Amino acid sequence: MDGTEELRAQAQAWRRAIVANEAEEIGRFMTEDWVLVDEDGVGTRERFLSLVSSGALTHSRMEPVPGTERVRVYGDTAAITARVVNTAHFGGREFHADEWTTDLYHRTGQGWICVLSQVTPARE
């Protein structure tokens, strides 16, 4: 078994934790040095989780577009790429995003954990 189905389930559970706005649960899916790369640059795990913990950042939707998810396993490293639509709330405003996301995972003795996430706005 190459871990593909386990990774799909992991990604789904992580999205559920993000929508539940549970910082501690979200953090269980990330390495301590996890980073988010987006149009603003490189963000840290600490910053992301502090925004969620404070309630400054919440999500009410995080769903992959059916048929776009691609999972590849390379030994103890894996990549999941998908087009994801989400709704976030930050700074008193609601944001709707349609993005291509890539999450890089590392397999540990406890299972898969994300080391890096990158998001790119999708074009129609």
Side-chain angles (χ1 to χ4, degrees):
M1 182 164 134
D2 69 359
T4 300
E5 291 309 311
E6 182 183 0
L7 277 160
R8 286 183 199 279
Q10 180 85 345
Q12 183 178 30
W14 194 11
R15 287 189 296 268
R16 281 194 307 266
I18 290 171
V19 171
N21 301 298
E22 293 289 336
E24 187 174 321
E25 185 65 19
I26 294 167
R28 288 189 178 110
F29 293 91
M30 310 160 147
T31 59
E32 291 297 319
D33 62 349
W34 173 90
V35 294
L36 171 65
V37 181
D38 63 14
E39 60 193 10
D40 294 326
V42 179
T44 66
R45 174 187 197 269
E46 179 181 40
R47 172 81 172 135
F48 183 81
L49 294 178
S50 71
L51 289 170
V52 174
S53 291
S54 72
L57 173 65
T58 62
H59 288 83
S60 58
R61 181 180 186 206
M62 178 80 53
E63 300 172 10
V65 173
T68 65
E69 192 172 63
R70 176 184 183 272
V71 179
R72 295 294 185 269
V73 177
Y74 307 97
D76 289 336
T77 303
I80 300 178
T81 301
R83 189 170 184 169
V84 175
V85 291
N86 73 75
T87 303
H89 310 270
F90 183 72
R93 295 183 52 209
E94 183 173 271
F95 297 89
H96 300 277
D98 181 357
E99 303 166 317
W100 283 100
T101 66
T102 299
D103 294 310
L104 296 180
Y105 286 85
H106 174 68
R107 187 182 348 227
T108 70
Q110 291 74 45
W112 294 99
I113 189 161
C114 190
V115 299
L116 178 141
S117 297
Q118 176 149 3
V119 298
T120 304
R123 288 191 209 165
E124 287 301 317

